[in-house]
Amino acid sequence: MILPGLRQVLDETPSPVLGLCPGIAIDLGSSRTRAWMPGRGVVADVPSVALSPDGPCYPVRRGRVVDVEQCSRMLGLLLGRHVSRRRRRPLVVLSGPVLTEPADHAAALAALEVLEPRSVLTLDSVKAAAVGCPDEPPGGRSLLVVDVGAHLTEVAVLTDGTVVGARRAEVGTADLGRDRPAALIADAVAGMVTQLLRDADAAGTVDALDRGPLLVGGGALRPDIAYRLAMELRTSVRPAPAPHWAALRGAAVALQAARRHPSVNEGEPVVSAVRAQ
């Protein structure tokens, strides 16, 4: 399966390049885990569920890896067969929540050890989503990204591709129901935007808000959420193409770029974790 919109983002088709180390782009979400590999396309798009002796286990909750052992087992079953030990160790690009605490970051890296990565590059999902949208220029004016997931909603302002302000709320589409409409998420987003408007870079937030936020994540597939956000923020809301794939598309772009760096393809493997700015 070709990742939706990937060929519009990359300068080339997702084919393997001779001499480059293997790589995996991963979007590890509370609801679903998605992964993409050069030359293979999407190799995983499944619920983030592991099977334990006591029944189903959900190792990722509210954007955090809460059970490293079960998350590692899940990733091993999903992706282990795609990483042959006879080949070079893979470069992993992981898309994760913005404002991740060091302990949560360490837990995610520990779960990835089952893939025996050469190195791991972590990328904020809001930034990955912006990179993964072909209609969004990489620099220039400020951009407001609203990422509505199943259990987590994030709001961030990007200027010249750098996150200059961000907020997150532990609420998502899985929390909605008959008695909890889309206004629950819209109110949370409006509150986070208000907080960003009080920050030092408020001018960038105003410019981004005037332009209209980029709506990504699974919640962007729901017209009621987009409508309520537009009403609350009093501006146009722009759902991204295939919004639930946006973060993985951006991670794939970062992976293709990182695989071409000389430090990745020369010398002995050095396992390290680098957080993209």
Side-chain angles (χ1 to χ4, degrees):
M1 175 182 175
I2 298 297
L3 188 56
L6 183 61
R7 286 181 175 172
Q8 289 92 322
V9 180
L10 294 173
D11 293 332
E12 62 179 26
T13 57
S15 59
V17 181
L18 185 63
L20 299 187
C21 75
I24 308 176
I26 302 174
D27 181 19
L28 184 60
S30 304
S31 176
R32 299 190 72 82
T33 295
R34 297 182 173 99
W36 177 91
M37 295 184 69
R40 299 188 184 184
V42 175
V43 294
D45 178 18
V46 297
S48 298
V49 179
L51 296 179
S52 68
D54 298 326
C57 172
Y58 302 90
V60 185
R61 299 176 187 171
R62 304 294 180 187
R64 300 181 178 92
V65 175
V66 296
D67 191 325
V68 173
E69 181 180 355
Q70 290 297 336
C71 187
S72 179
R73 184 171 182 271
M74 177 187 73
L75 291 173
L77 291 174
L78 288 176
L79 304 173
R81 66 182 183 276
H82 297 290
V83 184
S84 172
R85 294 185 179 181
R86 293 174 295 180
R87 301 178 60 191
R88 300 168 65 187
R89 296 166 70 175
L91 169 65
V92 175
V93 174
L94 176 68
S95 168
V98 70
L99 303 178
T100 299
E101 296 292 336
D104 297 326
H105 186 241
L109 295 179
L112 288 172
E113 289 180 1
V114 69
L115 303 178
E116 300 184 6
R118 180 186 182 93
S119 58
V120 178
L121 173 67
T122 57
L123 187 65
D124 290 332
S125 56
V126 287
K127 183 173 182 177
V131 171
C133 292
D135 295 332
E136 294 300 324
R141 298 176 59 186
S142 296
L143 175 67
L144 180 64
V145 179
V146 177
D147 186 352
V148 181
H151 301 119
L152 195 66
T153 296
E154 301 173 283
V155 175
V157 178
L158 282 71
T159 301
D160 293 328
T162 300
V163 177
V164 296
R167 294 291 188 276
R168 55 187 284 182
E170 294 189 350
V171 62
T173 57
D175 299 303
L176 303 183
R178 180 173 298 179
D179 299 327
R180 307 187 80 186
L184 178 70
I185 292 177
D187 290 343
V189 171
M192 289 186 281
V193 171
T194 299
Q195 293 174 13
L196 290 172
L197 287 170
R198 295 171 179 164
D199 290 348
D201 190 36
T205 304
V206 171
D207 181 54
L209 189 60
D210 182 64
R211 180 182 177 188
L214 176 69
L215 183 60
V216 299
L221 296 172
R222 294 186 49 160
D224 57 335
I225 291 179
Y227 173 76
R228 291 298 307 185
L229 282 175
M231 294 290 291
E232 286 285 346
L233 300 177
R234 298 183 180 181
T235 187
S236 60
V237 174
R238 301 174 295 124
H244 51 311
W245 291 102
L248 185 60
R249 285 198 302 266
V253 172
L255 173 63
Q256 291 291 65
R259 290 174 70 230
R260 289 171 172 78
H261 197 279
S263 64
V264 175
N265 296 288
E266 297 177 358
E268 294 296 322
V270 178
V271 178
S272 60
V274 179
R275 190 170 183 83
Q277 300 298 319

